[in-house]
Each structure stands twice: as C-alpha cells, then as structure tokens.
Amino acid sequence: MNAGNDALNKPFILIVDDEFLQRLPMTEALGHGGFRVAEAENGAQAWELMQQETPDLVILDVVMPVMDGFELCRRIRREERFQHLPIVLATSLDDVASIERAYQIGVTDFITKPVNWGLLAYRVRYILRAARTSQSLAERELELLHTRMEIIRRLGQAAEYRDNETGMHIQRMSHISALLGRAVGLSSHDQELLLHAAPMHDVGKIGIPDSILLKPAKLTSDEFAVMKTHTTLGGQLLDHEPSTLLRTAHTIALTHHERWDGGGYPQGLRGEEIPLMGRLCSLADVFDALTSRRPYKPPWSVQRSVAEIQKGSGSAFEPNLVSAFIELLPEIQRIRESFPDQEPFYGDEIAEIASCGGSAR
C-alpha cells in the first residue's frame, strides 16, 4: 500500500515519440532517476492519456504520425489547466528552425539529440524545479494584482456610496459600454477588459469634498471646477499600474468627461485624440445618469434621454457611437431591466446638459 502511494508521489513524466528505440532508454533513464513514466507514440495518443491524468512534464518529439509535436503543444497551451505544464522538446542541436517555432507556440525548454541518458534525469529535475518556481512566482504576482484591483474597486464603490449610489449605476454603464464596444468592433478580450475597467471610472470622487459631491443643486462654477478634478484624481490613483486592466481603468477615469468637439475636461481632447474606451464610457455614463432618479429630478424617459444623446452627436459624443447606440437600444433596455435600482436612486451625478454639453458630473 505504501509502495503504491510512493509511486503516485513520484513526478509523472509523459514521453511522446513514435520511435520505440528512443522511448525505451528514455523511460529506463527516468525510471531509474525516480520518476513515474508513461509513453505515447504520437500526439493524439498523448492527448488521450492527458485526459486521464495530468503529467508533471511532457517530453515530445517533433515529427510523428497522426499528430506531431507542434500540434500537441498548441492543443496543450489552449487549455487553461495546462497553462504552467512544462513541455520539453527533444530535437537535434542544429534544428534551429524547430526550436524557434517551438518556443513561439509554448515549449518550455528542449533537450538535444543524441540524448545523454546518464544526465537526463538531472536535466528533467532541474526543468521541473524551474517550472514550479516560475509558477509560484506567477501565482504570487497574480495574487498581488488581485489585491490591488480589489482595493481600487472598493475605493470606486466607496466613491459611489458617498455619492448615494446603490451600485447599479456602475453595473449598467459598464455593460452598456461593453455592448457599444462590441458594436464598434472591439475584440472579445477588449470587451471583457472594458466591462471590468469601466466600474472604476469615478474612483477619483473619493477625493471630492462632501459639500460638493452631495450638493442637491447645480454646482457653482468654483464648485464645478473642484468636481472636475475627480478625473485627474482617478488618473493619479490608477497611474503606474502594471496590469492591462488597471491601465485601461486609468485611461477611462482620465478621459470619460472629454467631448468629441474638444470642450470637455480635463485635457480638452478632441475627436479621436480621446481614447476609444473613454468615448464609449462617456456615452454610457451620461445615458444612465439621464435615465436615473436624482434629487432634483425624476428619471428622464428613455425617449427624452435618447433625444438628448442624439442632440450631443458631433459635439459631446462621437457620431458613429451615437448611431451604434440607437441601433442597440433594445439590448440597452434589457441591461437596464437586468440591473434595476433597488431603491430610489439619489445620486449626485447631475447631468450638466446646458453648461457641460451632456456630461454627467
């Protein structure tokens, strides 16, 4: 019983090679080196074995029938569960083209033919140790990134709650932003990125005084000047972050109050100088502000809000985005129904239609 458990605790190596005379000495060398070994004659057979048990490392040849080493490597790397699985290519030292191609599709390392059978186990053990160290570092970096993101998300939520918002505003505007992004050709990856970055658009409001943020009336010019700093405050908070998500959130926080005609803030960007993510969030943010209840007004009807968005086409908003927005109204309405306010929505995100040309605070 203990012997069986000991065998299962040994690192499991999968050898994939169509030549028996290559597999045999490799299996013997690794077996003597303290590894548990399985063999496959081609990539398809190896893939079947991997569905039954995940190996700790795969050693594969390049040229094989049915499925070659390159195709097996591509298939492995497409699976999330095999993301950190070490893949070692067995090839001749002068086969530079195969080595370069292998690295491009996700091979971890290579061993050269003819193989030094006496050193093979040491080489495999080193590759395993390096792969595990790399995986551990990647997991720690990911954990740190998630921690930073969670802190910033909570700051964004805190800003919304200070603004007396229930949180449904950021849900609606982020989904509407992603929907618009799909309509104008954003990739699935960028749509997902936008969906998760957009909720941080007003994180800078955490630094705006309550006397301004919670004022139930139109702001004075001096007060509005202070309110406008929430964009730069948000940009500063999200600046110098290494992740793509937080860099996108930085861009959105800094540019979602810019206008197509150059009359927005904080930089007065015009047209396509405004990053697309910011242009998408601007339209979605204003529309949701208009259709939501505020202390000074009941929610505007969808018809009236759409008319206001159309009025801002070419001035506040990019005309192409407005056209896409109109076509998507049925889906936008479904988003609004999916994230209803749970109670009267008393936010401070006043739509400065007259003085700001359609921007929300």
Side-chain angles (χ1 to χ4, degrees):
M1 188 70 175
N2 289 335
N5 289 336
D6 289 342
L8 290 174
N9 289 331
K10 292 180 179 180
F12 175 37
I13 311 300
L14 176 59
I15 298 171
V16 191
D17 197 312
D18 62 323
E19 295 186 17
F20 174 75
L21 294 180
Q22 284 291 328
R23 297 197 311 272
L24 178 61
M26 192 174 292
T27 298
E28 291 179 348
L30 292 174
H32 290 314
F35 297 98
R36 186 162 56 93
V37 183
E39 300 179 24
E41 296 180 2
N42 54 63
Q45 190 180 93
W47 184 251
E48 290 180 7
L49 289 172
M50 290 176 69
Q51 308 316 301
Q52 300 169 24
E53 182 179 2
T54 300
D56 294 295
L57 182 143
V58 177
I59 301 176
L60 54 83
D61 190 24
V62 176
V63 181
M64 295 180 289
V66 186
M67 182 190 297
D68 65 19
F70 292 132
E71 179 57 31
L72 176 60
C73 183
R74 277 191 290 266
R75 182 169 294 192
I76 290 171
R77 290 301 182 227
R78 283 197 292 264
E79 293 279 335
E80 180 69 24
R81 60 196 168 120
F82 298 141
Q83 181 179 356
H84 298 289
L85 175 64
I87 303 174
V88 179
L89 182 73
T91 186
S92 60
L93 187 60
D94 59 354
D95 190 5
V96 177
S98 292
I99 292 172
E100 289 180 351
R101 183 181 175 190
Y103 278 134
Q104 290 172 0
I105 62 175
V107 163
T108 308
D109 208 338
F110 69 96
I111 54 177
T112 57
K113 294 180 178 179
V115 177
N116 185 324
W117 305 118
L119 297 178
L120 178 62
Y122 295 102
R123 176 68 173 159
V124 167
R125 191 168 284 109
Y126 171 81
I127 294 171
L128 272 174
R129 185 165 57 248
R132 286 167 179 168
T133 300
S134 177
Q135 181 178 352
S136 178
L137 288 173
E139 289 172 351
R140 290 182 183 181
E141 289 178 0
L142 186 60
E143 183 179 351
L144 287 172
L145 174 60
H146 286 166
T147 300
R148 288 199 303 271
M149 287 167 50
E150 183 62 22
I151 290 171
I152 292 170
R153 282 197 184 102
R154 288 182 182 272
L155 285 173
Q157 289 177 345
E160 297 290 346
Y161 290 139
R162 285 185 67 228
D163 207 11
N164 291 320
E165 304 219 12
T166 66
M168 290 299 103
H169 165 65
I170 58 177
Q171 291 290 337
R172 290 190 296 265
M173 70 81 59
S174 61
H175 280 80
I176 293 171
S177 297
L179 180 64
L180 285 170
R182 185 193 72 189
V184 298
L186 284 188
S187 66
S188 297
H189 173 269
D190 285 346
Q191 292 171 45
E192 190 76 13
L193 194 62
L194 178 56
L195 180 67
H196 292 289
M200 293 179 262
H201 69 289
D202 272 341
V203 68
K205 284 186 176 180
I206 200 75
I208 302 300
D210 286 351
S211 60
I212 294 175
L213 190 66
L214 304 179
K215 185 176 179 180
K218 184 176 178 178
L219 302 178
T220 67
S221 58
D222 288 342
E223 290 169 334
F224 190 62
V226 174
M227 174 59 77
K228 290 194 293 185
T229 65
H230 81 274
T231 55
T232 52
L233 288 172
Q236 291 167 10
L237 184 63
L238 295 163
D239 203 6
H240 305 302
E241 287 290 346
S243 80
T244 303
L245 175 60
L246 293 180
R247 289 199 303 270
T248 303
H250 166 267
T251 296
I252 291 170
L254 200 58
T255 63
H256 73 284
H257 282 290
E258 300 288 358
R259 288 170 47 103
W260 185 252
D261 63 7
Y265 64 88
Q267 300 176 74
L269 301 178
R270 178 188 299 272
E272 293 188 0
E273 292 176 347
I274 308 167
L276 178 58
M277 296 292 196
R279 304 197 309 263
L280 292 165
C281 286
S282 174
L283 197 158
D285 190 29
V286 170
F287 175 73
D288 193 70
L290 292 174
T291 54
S292 299
R293 185 179 300 277
R294 294 295 183 262
Y296 62 91
K297 71 168 184 68
W300 286 18
S301 68
V302 171
Q303 183 178 5
R304 183 183 178 189
S305 300
V306 169
E308 197 63 48
I309 295 295
Q310 289 177 308
K311 180 181 175 182
S313 179
S315 54
F317 311 114
E318 178 184 355
N320 288 340
L321 293 187
V322 174
S323 298
F325 169 82
I326 300 301
E327 293 179 4
L328 291 169
L329 278 173
E331 291 181 72
I332 290 171
Q333 182 59 27
R334 285 194 287 273
I335 290 173
R336 295 180 67 244
E337 292 170 354
S338 297
F339 300 100
D341 294 320
Q342 302 303 312
E343 55 187 59
F345 200 78
Y346 295 112
D348 180 59
E349 211 170 42
I350 297 175
E352 299 285 341
I353 300 299
S355 61
C356 308
S359 293
R361 261 195 212 172

